[in-house]
């Protein structure tokens, strides 16, 4: 009886092994990513350049020029009794929120050593790296194995007078002597894989642009509630009491960033084909 | 005769068993069966959701999934996969609950600096506070704010008892009396501590009671401004 049971168990085990391994379909890949792989560091760099362009456009051409025309921008812009556009940092936050909802696994954050809002206080390893970034002005890429996360930090520079004056004059500011071109903080990007397929990279960048579109849409939704809203169309605040439509904003943004993005992508593909930097450990 | 009766009963049992099995399968396949299959009562507001709105198929076939997990157990693979349905993640929740200017969006807690908070309260996952199939609206202790705000100090504190003192006195039971965690209720924040919403009301809200916050909800789930 015992040997009979043993034979049955043995046959069942054999069947299971055959089922699972011998006649099995191809194994599942570790990630959903397939095709040519690009190091995520390069894609971070491209996303960061796109983000710089979007923030510069919003800060200089919408916030700074818009203020001169009488448009309001307020950190409490979402309160129902306040009709105002989001500040540049909040523009980034809405972009980040869109990324969180999208299928891509890209994280986008802002931080500083002197933030107005304490939730944006950099600490620990991020703060130490930020000190280096402040000295060198260069981006930094690293890996946190315990969090299974790859991190890219890039300096946020005071690119417009509006950045400096708002931060210096805010009642909760911990620092009142910001100057133009100061490194005021850092943009942090997160991704859970060391490499990304070309198609996923394109998807990621298109979702990032969709995030800018979303953030700008929220600005227009506020503007439309004004008693005397500016004309929304092809003209910009520097032309008068106007703001561009979503398509107008995005067209300007893509005209500024697309050439560089395409160039960087092509360089990445070339390097990946050669296997140039694939052996390098993340720094 | 006895033998025939026994056989007849035996066959009858098979027939009844077969009918029952078919009936159970049909009931389970019917859209009405979701509440029988669910692991517990749904969160308030989720009562009409279908299982598949959150529980979606894991990639690959069941055989590939088993194979991948065996390889994971043998150390030949870095990541395990779910069998059958994939794990419900934040993106599933945010499809309906995204809103602009969320005061505490979950993604923010993915930042490296929140590593400890992630381990303590899982602040980076919606389901850490809003566990599905447990009926309660919020399934975490009200004092969770302490994990991030223990060093709070406002330069121009508008409240009669300062935030710094409240934190020093460990009055974490008071935070939600003035602040709606996700900032989704229209409300004027009181400047006197005594005017806050009492803990008992917050506790009832965490169960299934209506919001104690006075103003209306700013963004309802799946409201038109979510996605255009």
């Amino acid at each position: 009886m015992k040997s009979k049971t043993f034979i049955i168990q043995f046959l069942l085990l054999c069947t299971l092994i055959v089922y699972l391994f011998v006649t099995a379909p191809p194994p599942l890949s570790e990630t959903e990513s397939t095709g040519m792989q690009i190091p995520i560091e390069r894609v971070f760099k491209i996303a960061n350049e796109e983000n710089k362009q979007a923030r510069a456009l919003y800060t200089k051409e919408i916030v700074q020029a818009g203020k001169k025309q009488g448009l309001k921008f307020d950190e409490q812009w979402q309160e129902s009794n306040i009709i105002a556009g989001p500040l540049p940092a909040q523009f980034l936050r809405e972009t980040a929120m869109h990324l969180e909802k999208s299928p891509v696994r890209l994280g986008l954050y802002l931080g500083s050593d002197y933030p107005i809002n304490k939730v944006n206080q950099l600490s620990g390893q991020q703060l130490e790296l930020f000190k280096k970034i402040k000295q060198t002005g260069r981006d930094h890429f690293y890996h946190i194995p315990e969090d299974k996360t790859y991190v890219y930090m890039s300096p946020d520079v005071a690119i417009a007078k509006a950045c400096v004056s708002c931060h210096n004059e805010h009642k909760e500011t911990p620092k009142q002597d910001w100057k133009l071109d100061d490194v005021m903080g850092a943009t942090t990007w997160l991704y859970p894989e060391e490499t990304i397929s070309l198609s996923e990279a394109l998807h990621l960048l298109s979702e990032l642009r969709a995030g800018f579109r979303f953030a700008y849409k929220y600005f227009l939704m506020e503007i439309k509630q004004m008693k005397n809203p500016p004309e929304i169309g092809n003209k910009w605040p520097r032309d008068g009491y106007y703001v561009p439509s979503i398509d107008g904003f995005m067209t300007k943004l893509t005209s500024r960033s697309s050439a560089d993005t395409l160039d960087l992508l092509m360089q990445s593909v070339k390097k990946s084909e050669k296997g140039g930097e694939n052996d390098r450990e993340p720094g | 005769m006895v033998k025939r009766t026994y056989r007849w009963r035996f066959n009858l049992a098979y027939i009844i068993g077969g009918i029952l099995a078919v009936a159970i399968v049909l009931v389970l396949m019917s859209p009405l069966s979701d509440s029988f299959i669910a692991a517990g009562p749904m969160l308030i507001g989720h009562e009409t959701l279908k299982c598949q709105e959150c529980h979606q198929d894991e990639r690959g076939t069941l055989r590939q999934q088993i194979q991948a997990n065996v390889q994971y157990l043998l150390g030949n693979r870095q990541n395990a996969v779910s069998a059958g349905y994939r794990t419900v993640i934040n993106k599933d929740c945010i499809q309906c609950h995204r809103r602009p200017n969320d005061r505490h969006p979950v993604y923010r807690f993915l930042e490296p600096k929140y590593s400890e908070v992630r381990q303590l309260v899982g602040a980076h996952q919606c389901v850490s506070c809003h566990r599905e199939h447990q009926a309660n609206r919020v399934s975490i202790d009200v004092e969770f704010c302490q994990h991030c705000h223990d060093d709070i100090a406002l330069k121009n504190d508008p409240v009669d008892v300062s935030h710094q003192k409240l934190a020093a006195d460990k009055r974490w039971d008071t935070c939600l009396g003035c602040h709606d965690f996700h900032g989704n209720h229209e409300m004027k924040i009181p400047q006197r501590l005594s005017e806050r919403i009492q803990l008992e009301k917050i506790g009832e809200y965490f169960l299934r009671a209506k919001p104690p916050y006075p103003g209306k909800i700013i963004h309802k789930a799946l409201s038109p401004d979510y996605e255009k």
Side-chain angles (χ1 to χ4, degrees):
Chain A
M1 186 64 188
K2 271 189 178 175
S3 64
K4 207 174 177 181
T5 312
F6 174 77
I7 290 168
I8 291 170
Q9 287 176 344
F10 179 74
L11 286 174
L12 279 173
L13 186 65
C14 288
T15 311
L16 189 67
I17 290 170
V18 169
Y19 174 78
L20 284 179
F21 299 103
V22 181
T23 66
L28 276 182
S29 56
E30 286 280 354
T31 65
E32 293 176 41
S33 159
T34 52
M36 175 187 278
Q37 298 290 305
I38 303 173
I40 193 63
E41 181 181 1
R42 294 203 196 111
V43 181
F44 276 146
K45 191 174 179 181
I46 298 169
N48 192 52
E49 291 304 315
E50 288 257 338
N51 185 49
K52 277 186 190 171
Q53 292 287 358
R55 286 189 66 197
L57 187 63
Y58 185 72
T59 306
K60 288 181 177 172
E61 300 296 336
I62 303 295
V63 179
Q64 191 160 283
K67 275 185 160 181
K68 287 180 186 165
Q69 299 296 338
L71 296 181
K72 298 270 188 294
F73 296 85
D74 193 303
E75 64 182 310
Q76 303 295 331
W77 68 282
Q78 268 297 314
E79 297 296 328
S80 59
N81 58 341
I82 294 174
I83 308 296
L87 298 173
Q90 292 166 317
F91 184 86
L92 178 136
R93 189 184 288 177
E94 294 307 326
T95 305
M97 190 69 210
H98 173 81
L99 290 174
E100 175 61 12
K101 190 190 174 201
S102 77
V104 302
R105 295 173 295 167
L106 180 68
L108 168 59
Y109 307 89
L110 258 190
S112 173
D113 50 351
Y114 291 103
I116 288 175
N117 189 334
K118 275 202 116 179
V119 299
N120 295 324
Q121 177 74 51
L122 291 170
S123 61
Q125 191 182 12
Q126 263 183 303
L127 181 60
E128 293 309 310
L129 286 171
F130 178 64
K131 287 176 184 168
K132 278 188 192 170
I133 288 171
K134 253 184 147 173
Q135 285 171 355
T136 62
R138 292 174 63 182
D139 300 353
H140 199 90
F141 175 66
Y142 66 106
H143 179 212
I144 307 177
E146 59 272 26
D147 289 347
K148 292 184 178 174
T149 298
Y150 291 84
V151 186
Y152 189 90
M153 288 178 73
S154 175
D156 279 333
V157 178
I159 52 167
K161 283 180 186 170
C163 310
V164 174
S165 57
C166 283
H167 277 258
N168 281 343
E169 291 161 18
H170 194 284
K171 62 181 180 181
E172 288 291 334
T173 189
K175 181 172 159 68
Q176 293 174 311
D177 56 352
W178 292 112
K179 299 185 299 295
L180 213 55
D181 299 325
D182 275 353
V183 176
M184 298 180 79
T187 302
T188 301
W189 300 87
L190 303 183
Y191 195 78
E193 310 285 345
E194 189 179 4
T195 61
I196 183 171
S197 72
L198 180 59
S199 63
E200 278 184 321
L202 290 171
H203 188 196
L204 181 151
L205 294 172
S206 73
E207 287 294 351
L208 179 62
R209 284 192 178 178
F212 300 142
R213 177 176 274 274
F214 254 81
Y216 190 72
K217 187 191 79 173
Y218 285 127
F219 162 71
L220 288 186
M221 282 166 68
E222 283 289 307
I223 290 298
K224 284 176 186 170
Q225 294 176 49
M226 287 174 67
K227 278 182 186 169
N228 176 28
E231 187 183 313
I232 299 171
N234 297 324
K235 293 184 177 174
W236 289 68
R238 62 168 57 212
D239 305 320
Y241 197 50
Y242 309 102
V243 290
S245 63
I246 295 181
D247 288 339
F249 181 82
M250 291 307 295
T251 303
K252 175 75 88 180
L253 175 60
T254 50
S255 72
R256 287 186 178 188
S257 58
S258 290
D260 286 345
T261 295
L262 183 62
D263 195 37
L264 285 166
L265 266 175
M266 283 162 53
Q267 283 177 29
S268 299
V269 169
K270 269 188 189 171
K271 282 180 184 169
S272 292
E273 280 173 346
K274 288 179 190 167
E277 290 179 14
N278 281 348
D279 300 329
R280 191 164 69 80
E281 282 289 317
Chain B
M1 188 64 186
V2 173
K3 199 176 177 182
R4 191 180 165 190
T5 306
Y6 172 77
R7 193 180 186 86
W8 183 80
R9 283 181 183 165
F10 193 78
N11 288 342
L12 183 67
Y14 263 115
I15 291 165
I16 292 171
I19 291 170
L20 274 175
V22 171
I24 289 169
V25 169
L26 287 175
V27 168
L28 289 179
M29 286 171 69
S30 111
L32 300 171
S33 67
D34 285 2
S35 57
F36 298 118
I37 301 169
M42 303 294 282
L43 276 171
I44 191 159
H46 285 185
E47 296 88 347
T48 57
L49 288 185
K50 301 289 173 208
C51 299
Q52 62 270 25
E53 289 186 69
C54 302
H55 296 289
Q56 299 192 356
D57 291 342
E58 178 61 278
R59 69 197 168 94
T61 63
L62 181 63
R63 191 152 53 145
Q64 283 176 307
Q65 292 156 8
I66 296 171
Q67 184 193 41
N69 286 325
V70 170
Q71 294 293 357
Y72 175 71
L73 289 173
L74 294 173
N76 297 331
R77 187 185 160 88
Q78 286 183 345
N79 301 305
V81 296
S82 301
Y85 296 103
R86 65 170 173 73
T87 308
V88 177
I89 54 173
N90 291 346
K91 287 187 193 295
D92 298 306
C93 309
I94 293 168
Q95 295 307 312
C96 297
H97 292 281
R98 177 192 189 274
R99 57 178 155 266
N101 209 24
D102 187 334
R103 298 286 196 270
H104 291 93
V106 278
Y107 76 88
R108 193 182 289 162
F109 296 102
L110 289 169
E111 263 199 281
K113 66 180 176 181
Y114 292 117
S115 171
E116 197 182 330
V117 180
R118 284 198 294 274
Q119 286 171 15
L120 284 170
V121 285
H124 61 304
Q125 291 175 324
C126 304
V127 293
S128 299
C129 297
H130 303 284
R131 275 178 223 149
E132 189 53 278
H133 304 304
Q134 291 198 3
N136 296 352
R137 178 182 272 115
V138 183
S139 38
I140 191 169
D141 191 90
V142 290
E143 300 191 343
F144 59 86
C145 308
Q146 63 185 295
H147 300 296
C148 292
H149 297 286
D150 59 340
D151 60 347
I152 191 168
L154 300 186
K155 208 170 166 185
N156 296 290
D157 203 318
V159 187
D160 58 347
V161 182
S162 74
H163 285 78
Q164 194 169 14
K165 177 160 173 49
L166 288 170
D169 294 345
K170 301 192 185 304
R171 295 290 310 278
W172 302 111
D173 56 306
T174 59
C175 308
L176 295 173
C178 298
H179 301 284
D180 160 17
F181 184 75
H182 289 294
N184 198 28
H185 294 89
E186 276 182 0
M187 58 186 284
K188 193 166 183 283
I189 297 174
Q191 297 196 348
R192 298 177 71 85
L193 189 66
S194 58
E195 290 170 5
R196 73 186 187 279
I197 296 160
Q198 294 302 307
L199 185 60
E200 186 187 331
K201 292 279 179 198
I202 303 286
E204 288 168 5
Y205 174 57
F206 273 26
L207 298 175
R208 291 181 82 85
K210 285 186 176 172
Y213 302 106
K216 65 174 187 180
I217 292 173
I218 299 170
H219 299 284
K220 290 192 173 170
L222 272 181
S223 62
D225 60 332
Y226 278 79
E227 192 82 56
K228 273 179 190 168

